[in-house]
Amino acid sequence: MRLPAAVLLSALVLAAFGLAGCTAPPSADATRSFPTSGVPDYQLGGGYTPADGVTIVERDSTERPAKGVYGICYVNGFQTQPSDAAMWERSHPDALLRNAAGEPVSDPGWPDEMLLDTSRAAARGDVVSVMTRSIARCADRGFDAVEFDNLDSWTRSHGALTRSDNLALASALVDVAHEHGLAAGQKNTPQLGSTGRRDAGFDFVIAEECVTYDECGAYTKAYGDRVIDVEYTDDTDGAWSAVCARKDRPAMTILRDRELVARGQDGYVFEHC
């Protein structure tokens, strides 16, 4: 059940000013239980009919969830989506992290994505207000969970952001997800250890290449079986069977092409252990 508007607004204000931690985290009953087993698919390059046996599908928040499976909704929680850049600069300029010259700071690996400013309570509140619309859309469309990408943006901020800044925003976003009945997922960021679950309240993890970078233990120690690992073809170099044979990999480990193209397109790859 959704909270009344006044209660929701109060919760968002507390979260934005770093006070959300003063209250107890939502109980497991407040969210839709995340599966501890199954076959996931990672469809961020475009939705398509899941292969036989797939039970969990992640898609972008602009899409509809796949039918008959557990649906995860992708939201870029800590950086701007390329298609939304103009909206942020026009309507929420103070929410963008800026350098000494006043220019937005971009992700060096994804230069068309600007970093959101998590260092100030007011900026975090602005981000939460925008992200709440995306989270609500995920819930309204029937997704079961949401994952927030680029949690580790502080590592690309040249020291302007901190881990605690990002955890403050994460906690606020998780609270909104829970208020909308969605499980909330941590994205990557193995350096958090158990902090993401304990302090921010995340329910599960979407990890990329944790086998490749030998990071899976950091996730499974904190989240147990609630870990989905996505490996990519350009890293496995034909050794997918070796990945599946590893005892330290998450049970829900899949292989995708780097571009995450839809099934039927050139380059599409999907395998699971």
Side-chain angles (χ1 to χ4, degrees):
M1 181 178 69
R2 295 188 185 179
L3 295 179
V7 176
L8 177 57
L9 177 60
S10 175
L12 291 178
V13 171
L14 288 174
F17 282 88
L19 299 177
C22 296
T23 59
S27 69
D29 291 339
T31 64
R32 302 181 188 186
S33 180
F34 189 80
T36 57
S37 63
V39 177
D41 192 4
Y42 199 52
Q43 298 188 2
L44 298 190
Y48 51 86
T49 301
D52 290 345
V54 167
T55 59
I56 305 167
V57 172
E58 176 163 355
R59 289 179 175 173
D60 189 79
S61 66
T62 59
E63 300 216 30
R64 301 278 176 178
K67 295 180 179 180
V69 299
Y70 188 94
I72 304 173
C73 188
Y74 171 93
V75 171
N76 196 349
F78 294 79
Q79 297 180 182
T80 64
Q81 288 289 82
S83 59
D84 294 333
M87 178 275 293
W88 283 101
E89 294 194 272
R90 178 183 65 252
S91 303
H92 305 277
D94 292 339
L96 299 174
L97 182 67
R98 297 180 183 274
N99 59 24
E103 297 297 323
V105 177
S106 294
D107 181 335
W110 300 88
D112 55 355
E113 293 189 13
M114 297 176 288
L115 274 62
L116 297 173
D117 188 357
T118 65
S119 67
R120 298 175 296 110
R124 292 197 298 271
D126 204 5
V127 172
V128 170
S129 70
V130 175
M131 295 301 169
T132 294
R133 296 197 291 268
S134 295
I135 295 167
R137 180 173 60 194
C138 293
D140 291 343
R141 290 187 172 184
F143 283 97
D144 302 287
V146 56
E147 68 114 323
F148 300 105
D149 200 8
N150 291 304
L151 172 60
D152 61 350
S153 65
W154 87 84
T155 66
R156 301 181 289 280
S157 71
H158 309 289
L161 306 178
T162 67
R163 164 179 161 151
S164 60
D165 293 334
N166 281 32
L167 280 173
L169 177 57
S171 180
L173 294 176
V174 169
D175 284 349
V176 175
H178 287 168
E179 287 158 3
H180 283 80
L182 301 172
Q186 173 182 322
K187 182 63 166 289
N188 296 326
T189 327
Q191 58 266 52
L192 290 183
S194 61
T195 306
R197 183 172 190 178
R198 184 185 68 240
D199 294 354
F202 285 117
D203 304 295
F204 65 96
V205 172
I206 301 293
E208 292 177 291
E209 304 169 284
C210 77
V211 171
T212 296
Y213 293 108
D214 198 25
E215 298 170 339
C216 299
Y219 302 120
T220 55
K221 184 177 181 180
Y223 291 93
D225 293 331
R226 292 176 173 84
V227 179
I228 292 175
D229 175 42
V230 183
E231 299 291 324
Y232 293 109
T233 52
D234 53 341
D235 285 330
T236 57
D237 195 27
W240 180 238
S241 60
V243 170
C244 290
R246 290 183 56 151
K247 295 181 179 180
D248 61 343
R249 67 165 177 81
M252 294 187 286
T253 296
I254 65 171
L255 179 68
R256 283 298 329 255
D257 54 282
R258 178 69 66 176
E259 299 302 317
L260 299 174
V261 302
R263 187 165 67 176
Q265 295 182 4
D266 291 343
Y268 166 82
V269 174
F270 170 72
E271 300 284 351
H272 65 88
C273 292

